[in-house]
Protein backbone atom coordinates (compact mmCIF):
# COMPACT_ATOMS: atom_id res chain seq x y z
CA UNK A 1 0.00 0.00 0.00
CA UNK A 2 1.20 3.49 -0.87
CA UNK A 3 0.43 6.13 1.71
CA UNK A 4 0.05 9.07 -0.65
CA UNK A 5 -1.99 9.42 -3.82
CA UNK A 6 1.00 10.84 -5.67
CA UNK A 7 3.20 7.83 -4.84
CA UNK A 8 0.38 5.53 -5.93
CA UNK A 9 -0.11 7.51 -9.14
CA UNK A 10 3.58 7.29 -9.95
CA UNK A 11 3.46 3.51 -9.47
CA UNK A 12 0.43 3.25 -11.77
CA UNK A 13 2.09 5.38 -14.46
CA UNK A 14 4.87 2.81 -14.78
CA UNK A 15 2.67 -0.28 -14.47
CA UNK A 16 3.23 -3.19 -16.83
CA UNK A 17 1.01 -5.60 -14.92
CA UNK A 18 -1.11 -6.64 -17.92
CA UNK A 19 -1.10 -6.43 -21.70
CA UNK A 20 -3.10 -3.19 -21.79
CA UNK A 21 0.19 -1.37 -21.13
CA UNK A 22 1.29 -2.27 -24.66
CA UNK A 23 -1.48 -0.34 -26.39
CA UNK A 24 -2.14 2.56 -24.02
CA UNK A 25 -1.19 6.17 -24.73
CA UNK A 26 -1.72 7.23 -21.13
CA UNK A 27 -2.50 5.61 -17.82
CA UNK A 28 -5.83 7.04 -16.67
CA UNK A 29 -5.30 7.02 -12.94
CA UNK A 30 -8.23 9.05 -11.60
CA UNK A 31 -9.39 12.61 -11.08
CA UNK A 32 -11.12 14.72 -8.50
CA UNK A 33 -10.77 15.57 -4.85
CA UNK A 34 -9.20 12.72 -2.81
CA UNK A 35 -10.89 14.18 0.30
CA UNK A 36 -14.36 13.46 -1.07
CA UNK A 37 -17.14 11.50 0.61
CA UNK A 38 -18.08 9.88 -2.66
CA UNK A 39 -16.14 7.92 -5.23
CA UNK A 40 -17.38 6.96 -8.73
CA UNK A 41 -15.96 3.92 -10.46
CA UNK A 42 -16.38 3.22 -14.18
CA UNK A 43 -15.20 0.41 -16.35
CA UNK A 44 -12.10 1.53 -18.16
CA UNK A 45 -10.81 4.44 -20.23
CA UNK A 46 -12.15 4.94 -23.75
CA UNK A 47 -10.35 6.59 -26.65
CA UNK A 48 -10.61 10.20 -25.42
CA UNK A 49 -9.59 9.22 -21.90
CA UNK A 50 -6.59 7.26 -23.21
CA UNK A 51 -5.47 10.25 -25.27
CA UNK A 52 -5.98 12.82 -22.50
CA UNK A 53 -5.05 10.74 -19.44
CA UNK A 54 -8.23 11.70 -17.58
CA UNK A 55 -11.33 9.60 -16.84
CA UNK A 56 -14.75 10.34 -18.34
CA UNK A 57 -13.84 13.20 -20.66
CA UNK A 58 -15.66 11.95 -23.79
CA UNK A 59 -19.38 12.26 -24.59
CA UNK A 60 -20.36 9.88 -21.78
CA UNK A 61 -18.25 11.83 -19.32
CA UNK A 62 -19.82 15.11 -20.38
CA UNK A 63 -23.29 13.69 -19.77
CA UNK A 64 -22.16 12.38 -16.40
CA UNK A 65 -20.72 15.78 -15.41
CA UNK A 66 -24.01 17.43 -16.35
CA UNK A 67 -26.04 14.98 -14.27
CA UNK A 68 -23.64 15.33 -11.33
CA UNK A 69 -23.85 19.13 -11.48
CA UNK A 70 -27.61 18.75 -11.08
CA UNK A 71 -27.05 17.31 -7.61
CA UNK A 72 -24.18 19.62 -6.64
CA UNK A 73 -21.34 17.20 -7.36
CA UNK A 74 -18.26 17.90 -9.47
CA UNK A 75 -14.79 16.48 -9.87
CA UNK A 76 -13.38 19.98 -9.29
CA UNK A 77 -14.90 20.01 -5.83
CA UNK A 78 -16.42 17.04 -4.06
CA UNK A 79 -16.00 13.69 -5.76
CA UNK A 80 -13.26 11.38 -6.96
CA UNK A 81 -13.66 9.39 -10.17
CA UNK A 82 -11.69 6.47 -11.55
CA UNK A 83 -12.12 3.15 -13.35
CA UNK A 84 -11.77 -0.58 -12.70
CA UNK A 85 -8.83 -0.67 -15.11
CA UNK A 86 -6.52 2.28 -15.63
CA UNK A 87 -5.55 1.54 -19.23
CA UNK A 88 -7.83 1.46 -22.27
CA UNK A 89 -9.04 -1.95 -23.44
CA UNK A 90 -8.63 -1.95 -27.26
CA UNK A 91 -11.84 -1.18 -29.19
CA UNK A 92 -13.49 -0.41 -25.83
CA UNK A 93 -14.10 -4.10 -25.15
CA UNK A 94 -14.91 -5.13 -21.56
CA UNK A 95 -11.76 -5.51 -19.47
CA UNK A 96 -10.76 -9.16 -19.08
CA UNK A 97 -10.75 -10.89 -15.68
CA UNK A 98 -6.94 -10.97 -15.65
CA UNK A 99 -6.77 -7.25 -16.45
CA UNK A 100 -9.17 -6.38 -13.63
CA UNK A 101 -7.19 -8.65 -11.28
CA UNK A 102 -3.89 -7.01 -12.30
CA UNK A 103 -5.32 -3.52 -11.68
CA UNK A 104 -7.51 -4.01 -8.59
CA UNK A 105 -4.63 -3.24 -6.19
CA UNK A 106 -4.53 0.35 -7.47
CA UNK A 107 -8.27 0.75 -6.90
CA UNK A 108 -8.05 -0.79 -3.41
CA UNK A 109 -5.23 1.57 -2.55
CA UNK A 110 -7.23 4.54 -3.88
CA UNK A 111 -10.21 3.52 -1.73
CA UNK A 112 -7.88 3.11 1.28
CA UNK A 113 -6.51 6.65 0.81
CA UNK A 114 -9.84 8.34 0.08
CA UNK A 115 -11.98 6.45 2.61
CA UNK A 116 -15.23 7.51 0.93
CA UNK A 117 -18.59 7.08 2.63
CA UNK A 118 -20.21 6.01 -0.63
CA UNK A 119 -18.89 4.20 -3.70
CA UNK A 120 -20.98 4.48 -6.86
CA UNK A 121 -20.41 1.86 -9.55
CA UNK A 122 -21.09 3.18 -13.05
CA UNK A 123 -22.43 0.25 -15.05
CA UNK A 124 -22.43 -3.51 -14.97
CA UNK A 125 -18.67 -4.17 -15.06
CA UNK A 126 -17.91 -2.19 -11.89
CA UNK A 127 -21.11 -3.24 -10.09
CA UNK A 128 -20.52 -6.95 -10.80
CA UNK A 129 -16.87 -6.72 -9.72
CA UNK A 130 -17.48 -4.69 -6.55
CA UNK A 131 -21.05 -5.28 -5.33
CA UNK A 132 -22.33 -8.64 -6.56
CA UNK A 133 -21.23 -10.82 -9.51
CA UNK A 134 -24.91 -11.26 -10.44
CA UNK A 135 -25.71 -7.52 -10.23
CA UNK A 136 -28.43 -6.43 -12.67
CA UNK A 137 -28.31 -2.67 -13.25
CA UNK A 138 -31.89 -2.43 -14.55
CA UNK A 139 -33.22 -4.10 -11.39
CA UNK A 140 -30.78 -3.06 -8.68
CA UNK A 141 -29.76 0.48 -9.63
CA UNK A 142 -30.14 3.08 -6.91
CA UNK A 143 -30.08 0.58 -4.03
CA UNK A 144 -27.44 1.22 -1.36
CA UNK A 145 -25.65 -1.88 -0.10
CA UNK A 146 -23.40 -1.94 2.93
CA UNK A 147 -20.16 -3.77 2.12
CA UNK A 148 -16.84 -3.78 3.97
CA UNK A 149 -17.78 -0.61 5.86
CA UNK A 150 -18.78 1.34 2.72
CA UNK A 151 -22.14 2.13 1.23
CA UNK A 152 -22.17 0.98 -2.38
CA UNK A 153 -24.62 1.71 -5.14
CA UNK A 154 -24.73 0.72 -8.79
CA UNK A 155 -26.27 2.91 -11.46
CA UNK A 156 -26.42 3.21 -15.24
CA UNK A 157 -23.19 3.81 -17.10
CA UNK A 158 -23.47 7.21 -18.83
CA UNK A 159 -22.58 5.57 -22.18
CA UNK A 160 -25.63 3.33 -21.70
CA UNK A 161 -27.74 6.44 -21.05
CA UNK A 162 -26.49 7.93 -24.33
CA UNK A 163 -27.58 4.76 -26.12
CA UNK A 164 -30.88 4.60 -24.25
CA UNK A 165 -31.92 8.12 -23.22
CA UNK A 166 -35.25 6.89 -21.85
CA UNK A 167 -33.30 5.65 -18.82
CA UNK A 168 -31.90 9.09 -18.03
CA UNK A 169 -34.63 10.02 -15.50
CA UNK A 170 -33.93 6.82 -13.54
CA UNK A 171 -30.20 7.55 -13.62
CA UNK A 172 -30.84 11.04 -12.31
CA UNK A 173 -33.08 9.68 -9.56
CA UNK A 174 -30.18 7.51 -8.38
CA UNK A 175 -27.98 10.59 -8.11
CA UNK A 176 -30.72 12.46 -6.25
CA UNK A 177 -30.91 9.54 -3.79
CA UNK A 178 -27.13 9.78 -3.41
CA UNK A 179 -27.39 13.52 -2.70
CA UNK A 180 -30.04 12.88 -0.04
CA UNK A 181 -27.90 10.21 1.58
CA UNK A 182 -24.84 12.50 1.64
CA UNK A 183 -26.95 15.30 3.16
CA UNK A 184 -28.15 12.93 5.90
CA UNK A 185 -24.57 11.92 6.71
CA UNK A 186 -23.30 15.48 7.18
N1 LIG B 1 -16.18 4.84 -19.78
C1 LIG B 1 -15.66 4.42 -18.60
O1 LIG B 1 -16.09 3.43 -18.03
N2 LIG B 1 -14.67 5.13 -18.09
C2 LIG B 1 -14.15 6.22 -18.65
O2 LIG B 1 -13.24 6.81 -18.11
C3 LIG B 1 -14.73 6.65 -19.87
C4 LIG B 1 -15.73 5.94 -20.41
Amino acid sequence: MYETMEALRQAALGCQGCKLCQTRHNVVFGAGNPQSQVMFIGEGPGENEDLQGEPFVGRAGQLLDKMLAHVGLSRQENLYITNMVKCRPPQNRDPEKEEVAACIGFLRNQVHLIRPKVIVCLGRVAACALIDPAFKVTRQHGIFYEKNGFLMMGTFHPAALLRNPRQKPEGLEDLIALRQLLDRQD
Side-chain angles (χ1 to χ4, degrees), residues 28 41-46 49 54-58 60-61 82-83 122 157-159:
V28 181
I41 302 175
E43 181 175 322
E49 291 76 19
E54 177 151 349
F56 286 100
V57 288
T82 187
N83 283 301
L122 296 167
H157 192 290

Side-chain angles (χ1 to χ4, degrees), residues 18-20 41-46 83-104 122 124-126 129 157:
C18 80
K19 62 181 177 301
L20 297 182
I41 302 175
E43 181 175 322
N83 283 301
M84 293 302 302
V85 295
K86 312 301 192 218
C87 298
R88 182 190 183 201
Q91 277 85 48
N92 299 345
R93 62 161 170 74
D94 284 0
E96 292 169 2
K97 253 206 194 108
E98 299 73 38
E99 293 159 357
V100 171
C103 214
I104 194 81
L122 296 167
R124 174 185 52 82
V125 169
H157 192 290

Side-chain angles (χ1 to χ4, degrees), residues 8 12 23 31 41 43-44 69-70 84-85 100 111 125 144 154 167 169 185:
L8 181 62
T23 46
I41 302 175
E43 181 175 322
H70 195 82
M84 293 302 302
V85 295
V100 171
V111 172
V125 169
F144 292 93
Q167 288 175 324
Q185 306 246 319

Side-chain angles (χ1 to χ4, degrees), residues 138-184:
T138 46
R139 270 189 248 145
Q140 290 170 271
H141 70 92
I143 301 173
F144 292 93
Y145 298 90
E146 197 166 344
K147 244 193 127 179
N148 307 324
F150 301 102
L151 286 170
M152 306 198 63
M153 184 256 275
T155 188
F156 300 92
H157 192 290
L161 296 180
L162 286 176
R163 285 194 299 271
N164 193 356
R166 278 179 312 180
Q167 288 175 324
K168 277 189 198 172
E170 284 176 90
L172 196 55
E173 268 175 38
D174 294 348
L175 296 182
I176 291 169
L178 168 68
R179 173 81 267 164
Q180 289 167 346
L181 185 142
L182 292 171
D183 289 346
R184 283 201 299 275

